[in-house]
Structures are given as C-alpha cells and as structure tokens.
Amino acid sequence: MTNRYPNERRESERSQSGFSEKVVNLRRVAKVVKGGRHMSFSALVTVGDGHGRVGIGLGKSGAIPDAVRKATSAAQKNLITVPLAGTTIPHMVKAKYGAAEVLIKPATPGTGIIAGASMRAVLEPAGIKDVVTKSLGSQNPINVCRATLEALRQLRALPADRTVPQGGPAEQELREVVEVAVAATGGKG
C-alpha cells in the first residue's frame, strides 16, 4: 500500500532524526551541450535541531526530489554548533562570503527574527528566536546562507557574568553612553 500523503511520511522521518529541514532555494539550471540544453535542478537546504545545531547543503540532480535529498545529506554532514544566550545570540557579529555580507545583532526576548528569507532559513533551525539582522551586498540566497553560517561560526559563548564582550564595539558604545549620562547628571549616578 502506497502512502497517499508523502509529506506525512517525511515529517515522521524528520522527527526520528531530530532535525527539521527547509528548502531555501530551488533552481532549474541548464548546461549547454552539443545536442542542446541539459536541464537539472539545484536545491539549497538548511537543517537544524532547534537547540543550537544547524547546517546548510547544496544538491544538484536531474530530478527535484533527488536534489533535495542530496542537499539534506550534505547539510547534515556540515552541522555546526551555535552558542546561544537564552533565545538570542551572545554578541553582534558580521561576516562575509563572496559578495554577500551579513550583520546579526542580539535582540531582547519577544523581538522575533527580523531577517530576510535566506537568513531566516538558517537562524530558525538553529533555535535562535530573537535577533535583528541586515543583509549587505549580494542578495544571492546561496551566498547569503553561507555568510550567515559563517557569522554563526564566529560566535563565542560569553562567561555567565558578562553580557557584552570585552573590548568590543558594543562595550565602547556602552561606556560612551554611561559617560554621557554621568556628565548630564553632574556625576550623581
């Protein structure tokens, strides 16, 4: 007996492996050969467990399901662990891949994921729930996803007693704000 609802089967497979998968980009690509054009499909897939592990993979094949399967397999082989600070990231990070550049900032709880579709597809499976992002440069989904993954790879966990990384631009801004506030109140903290 065949399954009339193949998506239900895929959902159960996902829950068994513990990873959720999302197809970010699906393209029909053509290679020009002597006899004409040879068509195939390219799929970009993200996988994650929702608890700090995420990966992306690119798969190519003559059929869409095969391309998605290959991309999912590649993504599961390239998983990284992301340090989380509650529902957000520990500190601001900026990364570049090709011409795509991304900026990811932590946000207060309840903010949600303020991001474009390509960055959101990487951040959601990682378990990040509150973050503000900006995509600079190229809008190519493949490069934006890879830049986002590179940014998440650069994240470092902070000690429990610190909320801002030492010596970073955020700490300098915080010091300047405190100095201005102290000066405005005449030194009466």
Side-chain angles (χ1 to χ4, degrees):
M1 181 174 160
T2 61
N3 189 356
R4 289 180 54 188
Y5 305 103
N7 288 340
E8 288 180 12
R9 182 182 52 80
R10 292 189 76 188
E11 289 293 333
S12 65
E13 286 176 1
R14 280 187 227 155
S15 62
Q16 287 174 0
S17 68
F19 292 105
S20 64
E21 68 179 54
K22 179 170 180 158
V23 178
V24 180
N25 191 20
L26 193 59
R27 287 186 174 167
R28 188 180 77 170
V29 293
K31 177 182 177 183
V32 179
V33 293
K34 189 167 85 172
R37 292 188 187 101
H38 179 73
M39 300 293 179
S40 63
F41 295 92
S42 159
L44 178 67
V45 173
T46 61
V47 297
D49 64 355
H51 301 291
R53 292 183 64 198
V54 67
I56 63 171
L58 189 64
K60 296 177 185 176
S61 180
I64 293 173
D66 293 337
V68 171
R69 183 182 43 75
K70 286 181 181 181
T72 304
S73 176
Q76 288 177 345
K77 290 177 187 172
N78 297 318
L79 288 172
I80 65 164
T81 302
V82 179
L84 298 175
T87 60
T88 189
I89 58 174
H91 56 88
M92 185 184 86
V93 66
K94 193 173 189 180
K96 187 171 181 170
Y97 186 91
E101 193 171 358
V102 297
L103 173 70
I104 306 174
K105 292 176 165 181
T108 57
T111 303
I113 298 177
I114 311 296
S118 299
M119 290 176 69
R120 180 183 299 270
V122 177
L123 297 170
E124 281 179 345
I128 299 169
K129 296 192 175 25
D130 300 303
V131 73
V132 177
T133 67
K134 182 65 183 167
S135 177
L136 310 162
S138 171
Q139 300 301 307
N140 180 323
I142 296 171
N143 285 350
V144 170
C145 283
R146 287 185 172 162
T148 306
L149 199 67
E150 182 57 37
L152 295 178
R153 193 176 278 127
Q154 291 175 11
L155 288 174
R156 298 291 173 249
L158 295 177
D161 60 335
R162 291 206 43 92
T163 56
V164 178
Q166 291 180 334
E171 186 176 60
Q172 291 169 351
E173 281 182 347
L174 184 62
R175 279 194 194 133
E176 290 170 8
V177 168
V178 169
E179 288 171 7
V180 169
V182 168
T185 59
K188 299 172 190 168

